[in-house]
């Protein structure tokens, strides 16, 4: 019966983690270029099968076999759909890749191409105020005389004057890929950092000006999973209560000496 309580507690713990992950995905359903997290669980062989029926159960929840446990939480980097904004400072990546933002000394990766001009007329991320970087690690500074800016699919930034004439290229935006997506660490608001190697994107970049990338969260699917996980959590809690009550009645039925 105690073993059954262990299994139910594991189930409750696993679904509690799943609820946290799904809730965070739901909270970011409208966050530009957000990538949903996916918890991966491991089904453990029963104690008797793994340790033998004659070996005693461990005294803590973490070390006993059987039931289900969290293996890892991974991120789904599947590109999201594009939303038209017609803003000249909104960029979206079609396909793989990340923009590089920050400085030459410390840079971060993001697919959130919602940009704006700061007080120094640098092209920065609208959410963080971080400069977006070029392929040679420079910031983009738009001349005061420029009336608008054009950005080509491969990231070349060109300002135009009042006569709609190009004022010269300001640089080419860097589009990169980490050595492995598994090395990326979320730091919030669709930003990532990595201690691994970052390489230029293989093949041409495909930047769409006037678009942003939608969140990777599908609200309907996440809500259905949220309801299912909530019910599974409640079922495990009820099983713990039921087994606890049964154990209490069993102990009360034992005659006292």
């Amino acid at each position: 019966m105690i073993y059954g309580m262990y299994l139910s507690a594991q189930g409750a713990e696993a679904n509690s983690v799943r609820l946290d992950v799904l809730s965070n995905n739901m909270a970011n359903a409208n966050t530009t270029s957000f990538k949903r997290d996916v918890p991966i669980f491991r089904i453990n062989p029963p104690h008797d099968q793994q340790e033998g029926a004659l070996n005693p159960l461990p005294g803590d929840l973490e070390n006993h076999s059987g039931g289900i446990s969290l293996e890892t939480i991974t991120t789904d980097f599947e590109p999201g759909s594009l939303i038209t904004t017609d803003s000249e400072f909104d960029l979206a990546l079609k396909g793989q890749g990340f923009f590089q933002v920050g400085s030459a000394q410390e840079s971060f990766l993001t697919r959130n191409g919602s940009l704006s001009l700061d007080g120094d007329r640098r092209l920065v991320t609208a959410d963080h105020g971080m400069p977006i970087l070029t392929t040679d690690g420079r910031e983009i500074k738009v001349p005061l005389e420029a009336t608008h800016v054009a950005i080509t699919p491969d990231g070349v930034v060109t300002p135009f004057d009042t006569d709609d004439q190009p004022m010269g290229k300001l640089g080419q935006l860097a589009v990169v890929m980490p050595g492995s997506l598994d090395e990326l660490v979320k730091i919030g608001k669709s930003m990532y950092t990595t201690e691994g190697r970052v390489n230029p994107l293989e093949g041409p970049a495909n930047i769409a000006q006037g678009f942003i990338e939608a969140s990777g969260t599908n609200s309907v699917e996440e809500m259905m999973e949220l309801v299912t996980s909530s019910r599974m959590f409640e079922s495990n809690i009820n099983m713990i209560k039921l087994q606890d009550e049964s154990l209490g009645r069993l102990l009360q039925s034992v005659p006292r000496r």
Side-chain angles (χ1 to χ4, degrees):
M1 189 176 299
I2 294 294
Y3 185 59
M5 292 178 71
Y6 277 162
L7 297 184
S8 297
Q10 268 200 337
E13 184 180 48
N15 279 287
S16 176
V17 172
R18 191 176 178 214
L19 284 170
D20 288 343
V21 172
L22 293 172
S23 298
N24 185 61
N25 290 342
M26 282 291 295
N28 287 283
N30 295 317
T31 300
T32 303
S33 73
F34 174 79
K35 300 302 175 192
R36 63 190 290 269
D37 289 324
V38 181
I40 306 296
F41 296 98
R42 180 180 65 245
I43 298 176
N44 305 307
H47 173 80
D48 290 355
Q49 179 180 332
Q50 181 164 307
E51 305 293 341
L54 299 180
N55 291 315
L57 289 166
D60 52 28
L61 182 62
E62 288 76 16
N63 293 321
H64 88 88
S65 59
I68 187 172
S69 58
L70 179 67
E71 182 74 16
T72 186
I73 297 177
T74 188
T75 301
D76 180 4
F77 284 100
E78 186 70 18
S81 59
L82 302 190
I83 301 173
T84 304
T85 66
D86 292 328
S87 170
E88 63 178 339
F89 293 135
D90 280 342
L91 307 177
L93 286 166
K94 294 181 178 178
Q96 301 297 316
F98 294 84
F99 296 113
Q100 254 185 322
V101 299
S103 66
Q105 291 71 37
E106 184 179 24
S107 63
F108 304 94
L109 306 185
T110 184
R111 288 180 61 88
N112 185 349
S114 180
L115 308 176
S116 64
L117 293 180
D118 68 2
D120 296 325
R121 297 190 64 79
R122 297 180 305 170
L123 203 54
V124 299
T125 56
D127 290 342
H128 315 86
M130 288 187 180
I132 189 167
L133 301 178
T134 62
T135 52
D136 53 0
R138 292 185 299 107
E139 301 173 357
I140 294 284
K141 194 169 184 178
V142 178
L144 184 62
E145 298 79 14
T147 58
H148 64 281
V149 170
I151 300 174
T152 61
D154 59 353
V156 175
V157 182
T158 305
F160 286 79
D161 62 18
T162 54
D163 296 325
D164 204 26
Q165 295 299 311
M167 301 172 65
K169 298 174 182 177
L170 300 179
Q172 183 176 10
L173 300 181
V175 180
V176 300
M177 280 292 290
S180 170
L181 291 174
D182 293 335
E183 296 173 350
L184 293 181
V185 178
K186 283 187 173 182
I187 58 173
K189 295 185 177 179
S190 303
M191 300 277 287
Y192 305 88
T193 184
T194 177
E195 295 182 354
R197 187 178 180 85
V198 173
N199 306 304
L201 180 69
E202 292 185 6
N206 196 355
I207 300 173
Q209 188 177 19
F211 295 85
I212 56 174
E213 183 181 357
S215 170
T217 296
N218 183 314
S219 300
V220 176
E221 292 180 359
E222 297 289 332
M223 180 59 73
M224 292 175 63
E225 287 194 38
L226 201 62
V227 171
T228 301
S229 188
S230 178
R231 289 175 176 169
M232 292 173 68
F233 176 80
E234 290 179 4
S235 296
N236 280 285
I237 294 298
N238 289 334
M239 286 297 294
I240 293 173
K241 292 179 180 177
L242 179 63
Q243 291 170 90
D244 183 52
E245 291 170 357
S246 299
L247 181 61
R249 286 195 294 271
L250 176 62
L251 293 176
Q252 288 176 357
S253 67
V254 177
R256 295 182 179 178
R257 294 183 178 178

